[in-house]
């Protein structure tokens, strides 16, 4: 009986572990926030029946098996982040976090402009006012199990700030890495683009496991101030024994622009909830997502898009492929508030099921309160066409190569909208590993 | 002349129905053969089976290609050996450009260790450009998605472009002439004529005399209800054109549906 009650807590060890951490130096307000969130975490049940959680069976995650990591502020050398990328990338700065943290590197121009790239703990000490202004701003009063868990116990994270009217030419690379050992972690990311700032941020999450596993509770919050433009590449290549729950929120102020590329390929089970909030008029978001599952992977993406101001636009395209016995699930919700007149919002989800045991689900929804809007959603689930395969095979490709080519073609409209060549290569490389390989 | 293709009493079943019912055919190097026959007589079935389409079962007889029994061989192995099919209905592959598709194919084929393909791959850019010019294919087609939104005639032209790129030893053309306008037919026929040499063969499936004027077949076969009922020279096609199938004892009722 005891075991069962622990199961529903989502990992008792977190609470125990935190007690030691509390003795460390941290601003008082933070300790208080952590304690409040810890109370939430302890009392809230696992979100089993909730419409947006019920398609992912959380009891598959052996919460009590994991040992939460301690606070991480060092351990890796400068320049370690790029080592985890499967292809080289030209960057203007980089930082590794996760079970180890590297010092940040930044090119002289960005430094001069006042760009901040640092571990979240360091940033709290060095720039308390700036961090406090944004930290948790979008997640207030949510009282959700996993948000509370992260808020209470986060041990590793990054703060990135692009000052007003600053343009960072090359991408900033943030990489997170964990290696096995049945560890669990709650990484936290806070990114702020101040008014008129422009940049591309590439996030690459990886992990390694053999006979052990990992649990990650990721929370990301990004604030794009007026007229600022962000391209956010969010690529996930976690090992197939990693469990991931992620809550990611991006808020856009007036005339802010976002291109968000989600590349979800790794993990044994991943439940990612993304929130795109168009808060200021004229804000525009393009969300491109790729869910590529094989073996027994369970990948769920829930994309929530909120139009809260007039003349905002959202263009969401999510594509999934499920191979072997994998399952991909897309849930989408476009919510257009009464104030959001003159809004345009499009959501499309296309899926390709590559084997008989694989499965894809698609549940797009619209909620419209305003009357002057243009909105649509559509979903397709298809199979690789036997005619297509035969046609390609008659030209000399074997079954695997033909399938891979069809999958590449299927994702091509997403690739065509990704502005960084090396990012496309990273994604292609990872897809290759899962759906056959071409020369 | 060495034999390229030899079919001996071939029977083919598709979904339990026997479609080809004892077919003999031999094509030697350097020869052009034409197969004509009413709708539903089994021409495409034969073509698909020669390429190894899943579900097309050879229940009797064998397919011998260059002296080797390929009856049970995978389609890609047949392509490696030098067989090619220009499809009656080419299939669209969205997101894959014509150029990258052919490059991928040549890359894969050269991995088999066949120096011929390695050579084709090395010269791909140059050959591809030349072939496009010869076939009067607009250069923009190189970066268009394979057969995706192509008109009927454009698809056929791209089939022949693929043939010219892969340089097979036996090309089966399944109604490549259907859907081509008069000028296109001439251009495509010229492309095929140029491809023919003393080591290569063509099996041209068609309903019309016109393409045969260009290709000048050595043999014409009439296929009906799964059997070749008449074989002869080019005059057979002319006779068919002027007199119709009833000259061969085929009446409307026995034909398949269009
Ligand atoms: N999958 C199938 N199941 C059952 N019958 C089939 C199948 N495929 C083809 N057939 C039948 O086999 C016969 C021959 O078809 P085929 O496509 O080979 O004809 P064809 O000679 O190429 O005709 P056309 O001149 O119209 O192209 C037709 O009656 C057709 O309906
Ligand atoms: Mg046919």
């Amino acid at each position: 009986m005891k075991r069962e009650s622990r199961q529903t807590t989502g990992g008792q060890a977190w609470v125990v572990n935190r007690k030691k951490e509390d003795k460390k130096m941290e601003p008082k307000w933070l300790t208080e926030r952590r304690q409040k969130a810890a109370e939430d975490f302890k009392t809230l049940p696992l979100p089993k029946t909730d419409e947006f959680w019920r398609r992912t069976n959380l009891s598959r995650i052996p919460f009590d098996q994991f040992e939460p990591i301690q606070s991480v502020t060092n351990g890796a050398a400068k320049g370690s982040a790029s080592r985890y990328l499967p292809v080289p990338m030209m960057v203007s700065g980089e930082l590794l976090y996760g079970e180890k943290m590297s010092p940040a590197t930044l090119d002289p121009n960005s430094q001069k402009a006042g760009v901040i790239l640092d571990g979240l703990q360091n940033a709290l000490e060095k720039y308390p006012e700036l961090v406090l202004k944004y930290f948790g701003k979008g997640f207030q009063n949510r009282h959700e199990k996993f948000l509370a868990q992260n808020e209470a116990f986060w041990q590793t994270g990054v703060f990135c700030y692009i000052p007003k009217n600053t343009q960072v030419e090359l991408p900033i690379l943030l990489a997170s890495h964990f290696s096995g050992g049945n560890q669990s972690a709650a990484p936290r990311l806070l990114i702020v683009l101040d008014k008129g700032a422009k940049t591309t941020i590439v996030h690459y999450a990886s992990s390694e496991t053999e006979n052990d596993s990992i649990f990650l509770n990721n929370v990301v919050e990004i604030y794009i101030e007026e007229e600022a433009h962000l391209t956010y590449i969010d690529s996930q290549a976690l090992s197939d024994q990693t469990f991931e729950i992620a809550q990611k929120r991006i808020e856009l102020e007036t005339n802010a622009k976002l291109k968000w590329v989600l590349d979800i390929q790794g993990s044994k089970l991943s439940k990612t909830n993304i929130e795109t909030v168009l808060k200021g008029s004229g804000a525009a978001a393009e969300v491109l997502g790729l869910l590529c599952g094989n073996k027994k992977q369970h990948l769920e993406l829930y994309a929530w898009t909120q139009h809260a101001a007039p003349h905002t636009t959202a263009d969401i395209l999510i594509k999934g492929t499920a191979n072997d016995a994998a399952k991909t699930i897309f849930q989408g919700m476009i919510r257009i508030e009464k104030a959001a007149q003159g809004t345009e919002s499009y959501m499309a989800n296309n899926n390709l099921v590559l084997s008989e045991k694989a499965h894809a689900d698609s549940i797009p929804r619209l909620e419209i309160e305003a009357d002057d809007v243009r909105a649509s959603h559509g979903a397709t689930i298809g199979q690789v066409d036997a005619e297509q395969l035969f046609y390609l095979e008659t030209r000399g490709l074997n079954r695997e190569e033909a399938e891979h080519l069809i999958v590449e073609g299927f994702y091509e409209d997403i690739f065509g909208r990704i502005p960084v060549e090396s990012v496309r290569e990273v994604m292609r490389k990872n897809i290759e590993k899962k759906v056959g390989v071409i020369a | 002349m060495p034999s390229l293709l030899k079919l001996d009493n071939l029977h083919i079943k598709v979904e339990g129905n026997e479609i080809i019912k004892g077919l003999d055919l031999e094509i030697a190097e350097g020869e052009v053969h034409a197969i004509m026959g009413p709708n539903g007589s089994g021409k495409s079935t034969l073509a698909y089976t020669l390429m190894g389409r899943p579900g097309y079962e050879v229940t009797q007889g064998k397919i011998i290609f260059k002296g080797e029994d390929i009856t049970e061989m995978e389609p890609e192995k047949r392509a490696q050996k030098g067989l090619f099919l220009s499809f009656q209905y080419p299939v669209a592959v969205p997101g894959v450009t014509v150029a990258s598709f052919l490059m991928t194919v040549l890359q894969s084929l050269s991995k088999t260790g066949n120096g011929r393909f390695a050579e084709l791959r090395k010269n791909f850019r140059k050959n591809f450009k030349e072939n496009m010019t010869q076939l009067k294919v607009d250069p923009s087609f190189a970066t268009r998605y394979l057969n995706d939104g192509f008109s009927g005639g454009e698809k056929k032209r791209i089939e022949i472009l693929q043939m010219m790129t892969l340089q097979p030893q036996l090309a089966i053309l399944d109604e490549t002439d259907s859907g081509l306008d008069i000028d296109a037919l001439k251009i495509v026929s010229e492309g095929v004529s140029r491809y023919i040499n003393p080591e290569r063969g063509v099996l041209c499936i068609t309903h019309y005399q016109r393409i045969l004027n260009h290709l000048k077949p050595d043999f014409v076969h009439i296929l009906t209800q799964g059997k070749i009922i008449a074989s002869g020279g080019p005059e057979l096609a002319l006779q068919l054109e002027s007199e119709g199938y009833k000259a061969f004892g085929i009446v409307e009722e026995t034909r398949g549906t269009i």
Side-chain angles (χ1 to χ4, degrees), chain A residues 83-103:
Chain A
R83 291 218 319 264
Y84 291 100
L85 284 180
V87 300
M89 186 179 291
M90 298 271 289
V91 297
S92 55
E94 63 159 86
L95 175 67
L96 175 76
Y97 71 109
E99 65 187 5
K100 288 179 182 153
M101 192 173 285
S102 76

Side-chain angles (χ1 to χ4, degrees), chain A residues 388 391 393-395 397 401, chain B residues 85 92 105 108 111 159 162:
Chain A
Q388 265 180 342
Y391 183 70
E393 283 166 10
T394 64
R395 300 319 192 223
L397 301 179
E401 291 169 330
Chain B
L85 171 63
V105 166
S108 168
K111 275 191 303 190
E159 291 292 286
Q162 293 181 46

Side-chain angles (χ1 to χ4, degrees), chain B residues 27-38:
Chain B
I27 301 177
E29 289 182 3
E31 288 179 358
V32 175
H33 287 238
I35 291 189
M36 304 179 83

Side-chain angles (χ1 to χ4, degrees), chain A residues 352-355 382-389 402-403 406-407:
Chain A
L352 201 53
V353 177
L354 299 168
S355 93
Q383 281 162 352
V384 172
D385 185 28
E387 291 246 2
Q388 265 180 342
L389 283 173
E403 224 165 54
I406 292 168
V407 168

Side-chain angles (χ1 to χ4, degrees), chain B residues 14-15 17 19 38-45 56 88 175 207:
Chain B
V14 183
E15 308 215 345
N17 305 315
I19 310 288
N39 296 128
S41 57
K43 303 180 298 297
S44 295
T45 302
Y56 288 59
Q88 181 175 1
E175 296 198 29
H207 287 295

